[in-house]
Amino acid sequence: YLEIRGVDGQNIKEISYEKIHEIKKTLDENGIKVWSIGSPVGKYKVDDNFEGQVEEFKKLCEFAKILGAKRIRMFSFFSKDEEKVFANLQRFVDVCPEDIIMCHENEKGIYGDNAQRCLDLFKTFPQLKCVFDPANFVQCGQDTAEAWNMLKHRIKYVHVKDARMSDGVVVPPGRGDGNYSLI
């Protein structure tokens, strides 16, 4: 299984419907299944062409169905304006098919970049699940042990990355401050 983010130098959101069917055929021929669509949905400023983001999300939901993926990775916007972030996320929830799971990844600089705001998102939107990225938490100065304990009941999957708290540099798992012994 894989989380598909792009093919042939194109981000998944830029791929055509024709190409996604070709990709599906190639994956099937090679016994590869898709776990999640690694979309950039919500990895924008909260006011940047939001209606275009909604249409992009709908397309990626269709791609998920074509590829047999049950999950779409998404983000919570480069903004700390809770009202706008939550309103935008509600729109995604409203258009998301019931058989697709929205998986929020913590990312430096977005609303959900620390464990407390991630937890607030999950309490407000119980249908959201967590993509736990230790390196991203480290780069935000978030203690990953604390984050793991706060979010472990919402975690759907983990990105295997680590980083050093001292300089934010991404390093192999277990060589940074991501507390891999907990995961």
Side-chain angles (χ1 to χ4, degrees):
Y1 284 86
L2 61 84
E3 178 180 79
I4 191 167
R5 296 182 183 192
V7 176
D8 295 332
Q10 281 187 294
N11 187 287
I12 190 73
K13 71 178 185 166
E14 298 163 348
I15 291 173
S16 70
Y17 283 92
E18 179 183 0
K19 175 113 178 170
I20 204 71
H21 287 286
E22 292 172 16
I23 292 166
K24 171 66 171 154
K25 183 176 184 255
T26 301
L27 291 169
D28 287 348
E29 289 170 352
N30 290 282
I32 300 170
K33 298 193 181 298
V34 178
W35 163 264
S36 178
I37 302 292
S39 84
V41 168
K43 201 171 184 177
Y44 304 100
K45 292 181 182 173
V46 76
D47 295 321
D48 281 359
N49 185 21
F50 182 66
E51 291 307 315
Q53 290 183 57
V54 171
E55 292 307 309
E56 178 180 289
F57 182 68
K58 289 178 185 177
K59 175 184 172 184
L60 291 171
C61 288
E62 291 176 37
F63 282 8
K65 289 184 181 232
I66 292 165
L67 296 172
K70 299 292 182 194
R71 294 150 205 86
I72 294 181
R73 176 194 68 170
M74 41 80 65
F75 302 89
S76 56
F77 305 97
F78 291 105
S79 175
K80 299 300 183 227
D81 184 332
E82 182 178 299
E83 186 176 336
K84 286 183 178 183
V85 167
F86 283 37
N88 284 8
L89 289 175
Q90 184 62 56
R91 284 287 308 283
F92 288 147
V93 167
D94 291 344
V95 301
C96 187
E98 288 184 25
D99 58 342
I100 301 291
I101 301 166
M102 295 171 56
C103 298
H104 176 269
E105 179 181 344
N106 55 290
E107 172 78 19
K108 186 176 181 179
I110 65 170
Y111 179 84
D113 63 359
N114 70 39
Q116 183 58 58
R117 283 193 294 270
C118 285
L119 189 60
D120 292 345
L121 289 170
F122 300 137
K123 286 179 178 177
T124 303
F125 302 102
Q127 56 278 85
L128 287 183
K129 301 297 180 199
C130 178
V131 179
F132 191 90
D133 189 319
N136 289 351
F137 275 136
V138 168
Q139 290 176 327
C140 293
Q142 171 71 61
D143 177 85
T144 56
E146 176 186 39
W148 180 266
N149 288 327
M150 288 175 72
L151 304 173
K152 64 185 170 188
H153 300 294
R154 301 303 300 227
I155 297 170
K156 194 68 173 171
Y157 61 106
V158 176
H159 279 172
V160 182
K161 291 172 30 190
D162 205 346
R164 294 188 303 244
M165 193 70 78
S166 62
D167 58 10
V169 171
V170 174
V171 295
R175 296 199 178 158
D177 298 303
N179 290 305
Y180 268 86
S181 62
L182 294 173
I183 297 174

